[in-house]
Structure formats: structure tokens, C-alpha cells
Amino acid sequence: AAGQLEVSMPAVVEVETGGTARMECNFYVPGNGSYTYINWFYIDRNNLVRLCHITGSEVVQENTDYKGRLSVGEDKALSISRVTVQDARTFVCQVGAGSHGVGENRTELHVYKVPEAPEITANPGGISVQSSDIPQIAQCVSRNSFPPPNITWHKNGEQLQPEEKMVKIPYTLTRESSGLYTVSSTLFTHVTREDRNSLYHCTVHYWLRGQRRDVESQRVNVTIFYPAQHVKLQVMPSSALVKEGDNVKLVCEADGNPAPVFSFYKRELEDSWQDLTSLADTNSGVLNLHDVNKSSSGLYRCQTLDLDDMRQLEKDVELVVNYIEGVHVKMEPSSPLREGDSVRLSCDAHSPVALDYQWRDEKGRKVAEGNQLLLSNLTFETSSNFSCKVIAPSVPGLEQSKQVAVAVQGKPRIVAISSPMYVRQDEVVNLTCKAIAFPRPSVHWNVNGTAHEYVENQHIASNLTVRVNHDLLRAGAMCRVSNALGVSEKHIQLLDQKTPESKGVIIVAIIVCILVVAVLGSVIYFLHKKGKIPCGRAGKQDITKPEARKDKIVVEVKSDKLSEEAGLLQGANGEKRPAADQVGQSVVRC
């Protein structure tokens, strides 16, 4: 009551290992009296062990394991630094107050260590659904915690509870030399094929300051072994698109784990089966067929064997290899063709699918569609190699072609010749003659020279190198082309080409005349400027007259100049004009 010494302390103080624990000791002395002393103890096996003695401002520590880690505050609170798990015990504060007696109280020091994140390890070998014993799923370990935590197990987020003959969760608790605990828990449970996608994890639960805390592990998946229940066999690519020459895969898949052993067979006559397993990858269940053809079509079977229960499953698939065969072209009429004739080409082929036909020329250009091609009014130019292209529209890439030669026969026809041709005497020239014909013709010239022939399809070209002489200029040359069906001839006319020297003389003469007139004009203009040739109005004057009127001025050209100028002013025919006429034309009228 109010007349007694009272000591109050917290019932529990919590501190993490390595931290500092502070325990308060509050007391009341009646009449506002003072304490005489304070003792701090801890309880060890029901015995009080004094830690320190406080009188006034003096603190005396006892020689205990806590020496060096103790401190007392001004409020007489006891602090312990570097707390370890061994410090988890009961501490007592004792207060003496003379005549008021002695009072005490105690505090429980709780030391904790948060556990590390749990480590989970799944069963590395896998688990069979046919196991008679409860198999181990995974193990969970939580290290370095105080006090020891609890561990629970979860599958797909739902907690698992121990269940007889179905779920077992044993655990082990180990105290390390540091005083911390390691907890290990193992989950045992039966599994089904649906658990192949299940996720397992463990959760560590511990208390901290009166609250429950949780730490979860990673999610793990466990390999589940189960027998196959279904088998699927398919053709890659799709069977409807397989054509001759393709590489085909028969892929067999089973829904068991591990995959069973695969075997492949093909049905032969009389319901016998050919074993193709040696050509397949029995582990992956793939049979490769390279460069398939018509004979590759048929019924194929995949058979699986489960080595656990020796159970067999099988599946069949029909392989259809699309093809085109027997492509041939018929020509009507089949007799030799002449220019002007007509011919019909018919194309046919066999295939299990619908076919389209195209006709193309030797350059690959499409000329018609349909299985017939009509060629009318044939000429040598029509002669060519035509091909019938057979296409299966429903099977991309399936096509074949057949080529046929259309040859038009006839006597030669000269289509090009180098005539007329301008040449000069003694010049070396090339004479050209080009013709078309079938059968192949021969080319002959009626003059001697060096001939070179070039053949392209039905065309033949001959180049003759000759030297021009008088006889060749006069008679020309004859090109003669012949084959078994006739002869064609054409004449090459040679024309004499004048030499360029004569043309050059005429051009030079014209230029000289123009220069002379220009010089003469310059002389007359110079004399007029000097005043020796006055302007007259009487028209042309005759300077050969013995007398001259005073109002008329006549300029007489000296004989040495006259003869020179007269020579320059000759007519085109070379005849000289009279000197008087020439001088008369030299008079300038102003």
C-alpha cells in the first residue's frame, strides 16, 4: 500500500542478439524517502547471482561473465550490451530503503534471432506415380534462429497437413554451438500425373515482439514419372501437301514421362508390316523420310512401349505422296511441217489431284493455257521449242514440264543482204548474206574470198571478205543459199565511191576566190579614203577614151596591176576578159 516500499519492472524485455538490453527499475519510498542501496541480480538455477551494488553515485560490479558489458544509467536502469542467446534469463532489481525495508521485482529478458530465409531442395531423382511407398517431395532448412521456429508445407498455395499413409512431415531441431537453432523439415506425400505442374514451398514461422512473422521459400517443381495414356502420330508437313521429292517427318508423341520407346512400321501387302525402326530416332519419336516418291505412300504405324509396366500403345496414319507422271505431248499432224501449215499440240499427264496446263516458249514466256496449243500459218520464225508445264494447284510446288520441238521445213529465204554497197578500188570489204531455212542450208558465193559462217536457230549468216577490183565493181557478187528443198539467190551491187581529193580541190578554189574579192575590195576602199577615187554620178566610165571631161574623174589602173588583176578575175571557164572591161568594173561610184 501507500506506506510500503514499492519496486516495479517490465515483465518482459525483448532484444535481438548483438543488441543492447535495457531493463528499468522504478521504485517508491514512502514519505518521499531515499533508497539506501540497489542490487542487480540474475537467476541461475534458482540461485541469485549479484551483478552490481549501487550506493549513492557509486556502482560496484561483481566479477561475473557480464563484467565489461554492464552499465547503470542515472535512473538506475541496467543495460547489457552485445547480448547473446545465453543472456535469456530472469533479472532481479533489489532496493533497500532503511526503515522502510527491502523491496524487489524481476524482468524476463527474451533474446531472439530472426531466422534466415529457408532453403528448399526438391527431390532430384523424380517420383513415380506408381510408387508403393510415400515418396519424398522436398526438404526445407531454416538456419540461425532463436528461439526455434515452426515450418509448414504448401502445395499450389494450400497448406498440407499430416495425414496417415498419405502425408508425412517429420522435422529435426539442432542447436548450434552459437546457441542458435537449425530446423529441418521434410515433406513426404503421394503424387499423381496432375502433380507434374504442381509447385511446392515451405514457410518458416517465428514470433517477434508479440507478433507472428513468416518467411517463405522459393517454389519448386518435382519431376513426376507416369505412364502414357494416349499416342499421337502426325505427318509433318500436313499429308495433303506432300509431293514427290519432299522430305517428310512422321512425328510420334506420347503423353507419358519419361517418353516411351518408339517403333515405326509400314504396312505391306497381305497385311504384313515392314519394320522401319532402324531409320527412326527411337528416343524422340521421329521417322525421317527423304526424297519421297509415289511408292512412299501408305499406312504407317507408331508403337510405344512403357518400360515401367511394359504397356504398349499404337497409332496409325496414312501418308499420301502427291505426284505427276506420264507427261507427254502429241503433235498433229506429225508429218514434216512447211511454211503456211498449222499444227495442234496436245499435252496430257496423270496425277491423283486436279491439274492445270500452261504452254511456254523457249524463252519461258507463257503463250497459252489449257492442254492444247494451236499454231497456225507456220513460218521459219515460228520454229521453236515449246514446253507444256503441268501444275497441281492444290499442292504448291508440284509441277512438271515436257518439251517439244516444232520445226518448219522449206527452201531457204534470204532475209538480209548488204546491197547496194559503196566501195573503192582495191579496198578490202565484207559482203554479208543472211538467210533462214530448215533443214540447214549451205551458202555459196560466185567470187573468191574468205567466208565465215554463223548459225543461230534456223538462221545462217555468211560474211565474205574480198578485195575490190575492176571486175567486181562491174559485175557485183551473187549469194546463193540452198538446201534439199530449194535454192535462193540474191545479187549484191557494188558502186564506185569517188575519192575525196576532187571534192577538196573545188572547196579550196572557192575559198581562194572569196579571199581575192575581199583583198580587192580593201584596196579600192583604201584609195577612196585617200581621195584618189572621187564619187561620180555619171555611172560607169570607160578609161580607155583619149579625153575626159573635167567634171568626170577616171582612175586608170597600171598595166602591171592590170595584168595581175585580170588574171585573178578570170571566168570559171578560164577565159580572160578584155582589159577595158575589167578596168571599167574597177570604177567605184559614190
Side-chain angles (χ1 to χ4, degrees), residues 350-399:
H350 175 68
S351 175
V353 295
L355 299 175
D356 288 343
Y357 299 85
Q358 293 181 358
W359 294 92
R360 296 181 179 270
D361 61 16
E362 60 184 5
K363 294 184 179 180
R365 297 172 298 191
K366 185 169 69 173
V367 296
E369 293 186 349
N371 68 329
Q372 290 189 347
L373 175 63
L374 178 62
L375 302 174
S376 302
N377 194 20
L378 297 176
T379 64
F380 287 130
E381 287 78 3
T382 311
S383 299
S384 178
N385 292 323
F386 291 89
S387 64
C388 171
K389 187 175 183 181
V390 186
I391 304 172
S394 61
V395 185
L398 180 57
E399 58 184 45

Side-chain angles (χ1 to χ4, degrees), residues 403-449:
Q403 197 173 71
V404 61
V406 177
V408 179
Q409 299 183 2
K411 76 173 189 176
R413 174 158 39 92
I414 297 176
V415 296
I417 196 167
S418 55
S419 179
M421 189 174 185
Y422 290 92
V423 298
R424 292 193 296 272
Q425 187 76 21
D426 292 328
E427 182 183 10
V428 177
V429 296
N430 288 324
L431 307 181
T432 301
C433 181
K434 186 175 183 180
I436 185 171
F438 186 81
R440 177 181 171 180
S442 59
V443 181
H444 300 279
W445 297 88
N446 68 335
V447 295
N448 294 328

Side-chain angles (χ1 to χ4, degrees), residues 279-339:
L279 304 177
D281 185 344
T282 57
N283 294 324
S284 63
V286 177
L287 173 62
N288 290 293
L289 302 176
H290 300 284
D291 195 20
V292 296
N293 53 37
K294 177 182 177 181
S295 63
S296 303
S297 298
L299 186 67
Y300 290 80
R301 171 171 293 174
C302 170
Q303 191 175 82
T304 65
L305 174 64
D306 193 302
L307 298 180
D308 285 341
D309 58 4
M310 304 305 293
R311 180 183 177 186
Q312 285 188 343
L313 297 174
E314 60 186 32
K315 190 70 174 180
D316 297 342
V317 69
E318 186 78 24
L319 174 63
V320 177
V321 180
N322 297 288
Y323 61 90
I324 298 176
E325 65 179 7
V327 181
H328 68 279
V329 179
K330 181 180 180 182
M331 185 165 60
E332 295 176 328
S334 59
S335 58
L337 302 173
R338 301 295 180 88
E339 284 196 303

